[in-house]
Amino acid sequence: MGDRPEKDDNELAAEFLAGDLESFREFYRRYVSEVLAVCQKILQNRQDAEDVVSDVFFELWTKRSRFDPTRATPKNYLLMLTRSRSIDRYRKRSRANSRKALHAIATNAESAVAVSQGNPAVQILQSESQQLAIQALEQLNDEQRRMLELTYFESLSHAQIAERLDIPLGTVKSHIRRGILKLRAVLDERKVGTANS
Amino acid sequence: MNCQTFTEWLETVAAEGPNLELPRELHQHQVDCQSCRAELERWQATWNLLPAALAHEPPSTDLENRIFERLQRSSPPARTASSRLSSMFHDKSKRMAYLSYAVAAGILFLLATTTLWGPNWLFPQTGKDAQELARLQDFADHVEKLDQLESAFADPQIRYVSLTSLGTQEQTQGYLLYDDVAHQGHFYGFDLPTQANRIVKLWLLDRSQSVLSSAIVEIDSKGLGAAIIPLPKDLSVLDEIVVSFENDPGAQTPSLRVRMRSKVALTRP
């Protein structure tokens, strides 16, 4: 039993798209921590984050026919859904609670990486892919990281970031472009390294 | 379409965000070309380094139980016509057979509606419409207008067309619901520009690109926009719907800064 090769995401997705709930449970266990982390980063509230995690997996299962494997990998689709639903929830909540939580994200100097590195309990949970991601983000300067986070976690356009941070649009574009190219370079190095080893 | 065009496009938009909405021809290319698809996935994986680097705290112990109990309570999932159609179309071996049935059913439907009710069938319902309906319901959730939209869809005389951004702002999107009783179009858009000095106009054009009617889209502070626009009584003259940015609210023709555009799918038998 222990020698059974682990199914890749595409195999799991094919099974749960066909209605296999156990495969869906395996997919859930593989990514729930990452999904929860994204929700919590955006919503800054554990209870809301768990509610959205529940909604995301519920939607992924009940509307699984909407997943088109030619448009995204299962993980990318899951993260896209997570990000989108978290931002929806954030916007709905912010209508009632003003925008203070969002500003807290934008002005929060404590980065996700710093949190991750400072907490021994969390370090235990860091997978190899998470360490690669942390290593990649360390290549960025503060501005680049902040702008990439505003793009990813708040879904802001370049123009909105420029307005928010009161800096020229061209500066935002060049920071983000350089930042994403640096991240890409780390991934590519990793790919080459894996291919050579 | 070739790999060079695809990679040039990717390099241009990769910094815009993680959700790279591909134009139709590029999507088809990456379906057919493994290396371009791998390149697209690589960019998506690059963006996904951001969530991957977050501190992963374990979920609470009962979260899994709560989620799967919820799934079991809801199962078997209520499958809508749209989801049944969608799953049929995932199965390539059955696709042609279903398409044949759909085409035959569509012809019968058109004949029946044309015979019984006259030319009151602006957008014939197809499998694609069913998928669009699902997307529209997502949209309705987003703008909390589900009740209005559901009642619109319950009315067989109301049709709609979706408009997707021509640019790379992934979420800029809109829908025009077509009410051919009151001869009015109801436009809803989201993630539209919220700057006070930015004027967004909706235009209906005929085949010669002449303007049939136009309306200014009212936009709230969250980028949600709405407009009501007069529709021509003779629907067959309507050819294209355009959303553009304008400097002058009194502009008589769309400027070059067109943000969304959609051809109206008129197929008069």
Side-chain angles (χ1 to χ4, degrees):
Chain A
M1 292 287 279
D3 293 336
R4 191 170 70 100
E6 196 175 71
K7 289 174 184 164
D8 70 25
D9 286 355
N10 291 325
E11 290 171 318
L12 279 183
E15 288 175 2
F16 76 67
L17 287 176
D20 181 351
L21 192 58
E22 281 313 301
S23 298
F24 187 68
R25 192 187 289 273
E26 197 173 332
F27 187 73
Y28 164 88
R29 286 177 179 163
R30 193 170 288 178
Y31 291 114
V32 63
S33 294
E34 193 163 336
V35 167
L36 179 62
V38 173
C39 295
Q40 202 158 342
K41 171 76 176 171
I42 293 171
L43 293 162
Q44 300 283 300
N45 175 296
R46 176 76 179 204
Q47 185 56 51
D48 283 357
E50 290 203 353
D51 287 349
V52 173
V53 170
S54 175
D55 290 346
V56 164
F57 282 100
F58 185 79
E59 181 175 344
L60 183 62
W61 173 256
T62 55
K63 298 180 181 174
R64 55 192 182 275
S65 58
R66 288 188 189 175
F67 170 60
D68 179 354
T70 69
R71 287 191 182 273
T73 63
K75 182 184 176 185
N76 285 339
Y77 181 71
L78 174 67
L79 288 174
M80 188 184 70
L81 200 59
T82 302
R83 177 173 169 264
S84 168
R85 294 298 170 262
S86 299
I87 289 167
D88 286 349
R89 169 69 72 100
Y90 174 77
R91 286 177 178 165
K92 197 174 279 185
R93 194 179 67 183
S94 67
R95 281 197 279 274
N97 294 339
S98 85
R99 300 183 66 80
K100 74 180 177 188
L102 195 54
H103 286 296
I105 300 172
T107 54
N108 187 359
E110 184 181 46
S111 75
V113 176
V115 172
S116 169
Q117 288 172 330
N119 184 339
V122 169
Q123 282 179 340
I124 295 167
L125 293 168
Q126 285 171 1
S127 66
E128 195 183 341
S129 64
Q130 190 180 10
Q131 284 172 358
L132 168 71
I134 290 169
Q135 189 189 340
L137 262 66
E138 281 170 350
Q139 308 297 312
L140 306 180
N141 62 37
D142 288 346
E143 287 82 12
Q144 287 168 341
R145 189 158 68 209
R146 189 174 179 200
M147 288 178 200
L148 288 173
E149 288 188 347
L150 286 170
T151 305
Y152 191 97
F153 295 112
E154 295 191 36
S155 198
L156 296 187
S157 67
H158 293 176
Q160 287 168 320
I161 293 172
E163 197 177 328
R164 167 85 67 89
L165 303 180
D166 196 22
I167 54 177
L169 178 60
T171 308
V172 172
K173 285 186 174 180
S174 65
H175 273 302
I176 290 179
R177 180 149 193 85
R178 278 188 215 136
I180 199 74
L181 287 172
K182 275 187 191 173
L183 294 183
R184 170 67 193 244
V186 174
L187 264 191
D188 288 344
E189 274 172 28
R190 174 58 174 253
K191 190 180 176 186
V192 171
T194 309
N196 290 342
S197 62
Chain B
M1 173 55 53
N2 58 34
C3 296
Q4 190 184 348
T5 312
F6 187 88
T7 49
E8 280 172 1
W9 179 83
L10 262 184
E11 282 165 16
T12 309
V13 303
E16 301 259 342
N19 298 349
L20 301 173
E21 266 306 317
L22 272 70
R24 188 174 302 164
E25 67 274 19
L26 293 180
H27 171 66
Q28 190 52 50
H29 176 76
Q30 64 95 31
V31 169
D32 300 333
C33 175
Q34 202 171 3
S35 67
C36 284
R37 186 166 174 197
E39 182 66 10
L40 174 67
E41 286 175 0
R42 202 80 182 148
W43 278 116
Q44 289 172 329
T46 303
W47 275 103
N48 284 339
L49 287 169
L50 286 149
L54 293 173
H56 289 191
E57 292 177 46
S60 56
T61 48
D62 65 337
L63 180 63
E64 181 174 332
N65 290 340
R66 279 191 277 135
I67 290 173
F68 281 82
E69 277 168 18
R70 185 181 171 196
L71 290 180
Q72 275 156 356
R73 277 200 306 275
S74 74
S75 64
R79 302 199 64 173
T80 61
S82 63
S83 67
R84 280 197 300 275
L85 271 175
S86 176
S87 62
M88 285 174 191
F89 278 73
H90 278 305
D91 184 344
K92 288 182 182 174
S93 64
K94 293 181 181 172
R95 190 177 299 161
M96 290 311 295
Y98 285 125
L99 277 175
S100 307
Y101 296 144
V103 168
I107 291 168
L108 285 173
F109 174 77
L110 278 177
L111 285 173
T113 52
T114 307
T115 308
L116 293 174
W117 297 297
N120 190 15
W121 40 260
L122 182 62
F123 301 103
Q125 295 289 299
T126 63
K128 186 166 180 288
D129 285 340
Q131 288 178 338
E132 281 297 312
L133 175 59
R135 286 178 56 206
L136 185 57
Q137 282 165 340
D138 279 347
F139 164 74
D141 288 337
H142 186 80
V143 296
E144 297 174 349
K145 287 186 180 297
L146 187 60
D147 289 346
Q148 294 96 311
L149 295 185
E150 275 184 348
S151 62
F153 278 107
D155 183 340
Q157 294 192 320
I158 292 181
R159 301 286 184 262
Y160 69 94
V161 64
S162 67
L163 296 94
T164 308
S165 168
L166 291 174
T168 52
Q169 290 300 308
E170 71 231 35
Q171 291 179 336
T172 304
Q173 201 162 7
Y175 291 89
L176 183 75
L177 286 121
Y178 182 88
D179 177 348
D180 60 356
V181 177
H183 298 292
Q184 285 182 334
H186 297 255
F187 173 80
Y188 301 100
F190 63 91
D191 282 298
L192 292 161
T194 54
Q195 295 94 323
N197 59 346
R198 197 47 93 57
I199 296 160
V200 176
K201 275 192 97 167
L202 174 68
W203 307 85
L204 303 185
L205 307 178
D206 68 12
R207 284 187 183 80
S208 63
Q209 295 288 292
S210 299
V211 176
L212 296 166
S213 55
S214 66
I216 290 179
V217 178
E218 300 290 339
I219 300 169
D220 73 7
S221 61
K222 296 173 189 68
L224 303 176
I228 294 178
I229 191 167
L231 292 171
K233 288 194 175 173
D234 178 6
L235 305 177
S236 66
V237 303
L238 178 57
D239 185 58
E240 195 167 15
I241 300 164
V242 165
V243 174
S244 68
F245 292 164
E246 302 295 338
N247 293 323
D248 174 12
Q252 296 300 304
T253 53
S255 73
L256 293 177
R257 294 181 301 158
V258 169
R259 201 79 193 105
M260 291 186 260
R261 183 190 292 275
S262 183
K263 279 280 182 187
V264 175
L266 270 175
T267 50
R268 185 178 288 276

